């Protein structure tokens, strides 16, 4: 079986290789194609990947190429993990909104919109090449903003599923706190990508969330950066991305007082690339654990193995709503548990969503609809409309100011914006 990783020169790729090596019985790969236009990074990461597979006794071959066509040809699955503009663009996403008093984050708010504008056209171009050179392949999107990118892929008729590590991260942490195997835990996970709540935590079918909040509430609150009193009153565990909504002004002040996450990651990447260049490094470095994306490799392996093996198991993914949440249009992309077979992902039934959460889900879905229109068709007015619709912005003067700033900062990545 062949898998292609577009964005394979990422410093995170060795985490993915480690997952493929450890879980090779679940996913017997013969070839992993790493595709990236950055020749230096690709050479270093590919070399590291080859040493890791050899060290693990894995027989798979690593192909390193700048050609999407060559990389995806014959692949059964194509993973997308690219970052248009690199960490420099991410740094703008995280710092520019702060100048206007808004949260600076690469997947939500103004920064998330900027990333969508840069990313959607590039991903759709790659997907067309997948359609031509690997017509039966599944596209697994881990590129942020996952919800918007996945919706773009689905609306263009591609075989695509969006993937995030939030749900698997909660599953693993809850299991550790309960002292049980992760496979015994399932989640009442509902919402949109990076806008989700755990409304139940089932241990062997029994909901233990109330007891979990009672005995481990403070630890959980510390993990997600929200007051323990809030999560105990709500009786749910919000994703840590909800902190940008529930504690917006506090987060802005915190972000203004320290370096951006992009700056931190860029420094880590320099160190990681040095380690990858060392021929004695044959296993993933400890530093990689601080890079982000915990459990992504396990989630990716599980999803691809279920698609390839027609397993019919349940995993949390991003997919079309199709009536699952009745207050959203069918073509909205939601993040919920789904049954995974060779035919794709089918969402499981979701209990009625309380107004406190349904209102925010609907609000952000409206923004995502407008954001996709802006990413597909360009135009200052479309960008301004998307910002005006976002619950973290929502003021006309602010949306107008951010629109001009975002377009100016990203002009070289937006052909419609002119030089």
């Amino acid at each position: 079986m062949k898998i292609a990783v577009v964005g394979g020169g990422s410093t995170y790729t060795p985490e993915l290789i480690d997952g493929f090596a450890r879980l090779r019985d679940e996913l017997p790969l013969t070839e992993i194609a790493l595709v990236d236009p950055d020749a230096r990074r690709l050479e270093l990461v590919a070399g590291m990947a080859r040493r890791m597979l050899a060290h693990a006794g894995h027989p798979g071959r690593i192909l390193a190429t700048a050609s999407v066509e060559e990389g995806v040809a014959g692949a059964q699955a194509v993973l997308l993990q690219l970052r248009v503009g690199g960490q420099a663009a991410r740094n703008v996403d995280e710092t520019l909104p702060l100048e206007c008093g808004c949260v600076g984050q690469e997947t939500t708010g103004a920064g998330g919109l900027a990333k969508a504008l840069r990313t959607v056209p590039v991903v759709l171009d790659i997907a067309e090449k997948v359609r031509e050179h690997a017509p039966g392949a599944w596209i697994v999107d881990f590129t942020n903003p996952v919800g918007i990118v996945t919706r773009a892929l689905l609306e263009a008729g591609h075989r695509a599923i969006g993937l995030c590590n939030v749900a698997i991260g909660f599953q693993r942490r809850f299991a550790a706190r309960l002292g049980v195997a992760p496979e015994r835990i399932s989640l009442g996970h509902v919402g949109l990508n990076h806008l989700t709540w755990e409304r139940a935590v089932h241990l062997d079918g029994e909901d233990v969330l109330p007891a979990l909040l009672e005995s481990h509430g403070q630890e959980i609150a510390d993990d997600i950066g929200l007051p323990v009193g809030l999560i105990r009153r709500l009786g749910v565990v919000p994703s840590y991305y909800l902190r940008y909504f529930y504690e917006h002004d506090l987060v802005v002040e915190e972000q203004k007082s320290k370096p951006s996450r992009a700056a931190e990651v860029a420094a880590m990447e320099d160190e990681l690339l040095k380690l990858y260049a060392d021929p004695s490094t044959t296993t993933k470095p400890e530093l990689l654990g601080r890079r982000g994306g915990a459990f992504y490799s396990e989630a990716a392996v599980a999803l691809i193995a279920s698609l390839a093996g027609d397993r019919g198991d349940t995993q949390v993914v991003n997919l079309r709503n199709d009536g699952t949440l009745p207050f959203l249009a069918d073509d909205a992309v939601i993040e919920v548990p789904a049954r995974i077979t060779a035919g794709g992902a089918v969402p499981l039934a979701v209990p009625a969503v309380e107004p406190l959460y349904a209102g925010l889900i609907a609000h952000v879905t409206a923004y995502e609809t407008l954001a996709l229109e802006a990413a597909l068709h360009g135009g200052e007015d479309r960008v301004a409309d998307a910002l005006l619709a976002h619950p973290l912005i929502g003021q006309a003067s602010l949306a107008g100011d951010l629109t001009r700033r975002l377009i100016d900062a990203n002009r070289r990545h937006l052909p419609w914006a002119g030089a």
Side-chain angles (χ1 to χ4, degrees):
M1 180 179 184
K2 175 181 177 178
I3 283 181
V5 182
V6 181
S10 167
T11 56
Y12 187 77
T13 295
E15 180 72 40
L16 192 58
I17 299 298
D18 179 70
F20 289 150
R22 287 187 296 104
L23 302 171
R24 66 182 179 186
D25 291 339
E26 295 183 47
L27 200 61
L29 298 180
T30 55
E31 182 172 276
I32 304 168
L34 304 181
V35 182
D36 205 289
D38 188 323
R40 173 180 171 272
R41 290 173 66 110
L42 182 61
E43 179 184 6
L44 293 176
V45 173
M48 177 70 185
R50 293 187 181 104
R51 295 194 302 273
M52 290 178 70
L53 290 185
H55 179 77
H58 192 292
R61 168 179 177 255
I62 296 291
L63 167 67
T65 178
S67 167
V68 174
E69 293 87 347
E70 180 185 12
V72 305
Q76 283 74 56
V78 177
L79 274 65
L80 304 182
Q81 59 170 30
L82 55 135
R83 184 184 295 281
V84 179
Q87 294 297 334
R90 176 181 179 174
N91 190 65
V92 174
D93 295 344
E94 293 177 341
T95 56
L96 186 151
L98 293 175
E99 298 172 8
C100 300
C102 295
V103 159
Q105 216 279 327
E106 64 158 343
T107 65
T108 192
L113 176 59
K115 187 167 191 182
L117 296 175
R118 296 192 305 269
T119 304
V120 166
V122 175
V123 165
L124 290 178
D125 180 65
I126 292 167
E128 287 302 322
K129 294 173 181 175
V130 174
R131 193 184 333 244
E132 180 180 356
H133 296 277
W138 280 100
I139 296 176
V140 176
D141 178 61
F142 199 71
T143 296
N144 283 316
V146 167
I148 296 172
V149 173
T150 301
R151 184 167 176 175
L153 288 165
L154 292 173
E155 290 190 2
H158 297 290
R159 287 162 56 88
I161 298 176
L163 187 62
C164 182
N165 66 331
V166 167
I168 193 172
F170 274 132
Q171 182 205 38
R172 296 297 200 267
R173 286 189 288 273
F174 292 154
R177 291 197 170 99
L178 294 168
V180 302
E183 296 74 23
R184 295 175 62 189
I185 298 293
S186 62
L187 303 174
H189 183 101
V190 67
L192 311 175
N193 180 244
H194 291 184
L195 193 87
T196 53
W197 297 262
E198 309 304 333
R199 296 188 297 163
V201 176
H202 293 107
L203 171 60
D204 300 333
E206 178 185 355
D207 186 9
V208 296
L209 180 55
L212 196 60
L213 290 177
E214 181 60 33
S215 57
H216 297 280
Q218 188 61 59
E219 300 162 59
I220 294 169
D222 291 343
D223 282 347
I224 62 177
L226 288 172
V228 65
L230 174 65
I231 63 173
R232 281 180 172 152
R233 179 174 66 81
L234 297 177
V236 302
V237 179
S239 157
Y240 39 86
Y241 288 93
L242 265 298
R243 188 167 188 260
Y244 300 122
F245 295 81
Y246 293 166
E247 299 275 14
H248 177 275
D249 293 353
L250 176 60
V251 172
V252 168
E253 291 308 309
E254 290 176 352
Q255 291 179 332
K256 286 180 176 179
S257 68
K258 61 183 182 181
S260 68
R261 175 63 178 165
E264 294 175 352
V265 170
M268 284 184 212
E269 288 190 331
D270 288 343
E271 292 302 311
L272 286 169
L273 289 172
K274 291 176 185 176
L275 292 170
Y276 298 166
D278 182 350
S280 68
T281 306
T282 58
T283 58
K284 66 175 183 179
E286 184 179 344
L287 176 61
L288 188 54
R290 305 208 312 267
R291 168 67 178 77
F295 307 115
Y296 163 42
S297 60
E298 285 98 335
V301 169
L303 177 57
I304 297 169
S306 293
L307 291 168
D310 196 30
R311 292 181 172 182
D313 58 348
T314 298
Q315 298 178 37
V316 174
V317 295
N318 286 259
L319 74 175
R320 270 177 60 99
N321 177 45
D322 283 335
T324 308
L325 303 183
F327 54 91
L328 298 182
D330 285 347
D331 61 355
V333 166
I334 61 174
E335 186 173 290
V336 295
R339 184 170 181 265
I340 312 296
T341 69
V346 177
L348 303 183
V350 172
V353 179
E354 300 85 348
L356 181 60
Y357 316 125
L360 188 52
I361 291 170
H363 197 162
V364 174
T365 297
Y367 150 75
E368 291 190 345
T369 300
L370 294 168
L372 182 54
E373 284 296 303
L376 291 173
H377 305 296
E380 185 173 326
D381 287 349
R382 290 189 180 96
V383 174
D385 286 349
L387 290 170
L388 188 59
H390 201 293
L392 295 183
I393 300 160
Q395 299 178 64
S397 60
L398 184 56
D401 188 12
L402 279 167
T403 294
R404 290 184 289 273
R405 290 170 181 258
L406 290 184
I407 291 174
D408 284 345
N410 290 276
R411 199 172 294 276
R412 71 187 185 95
H413 300 293
L414 308 176
W416 52 266

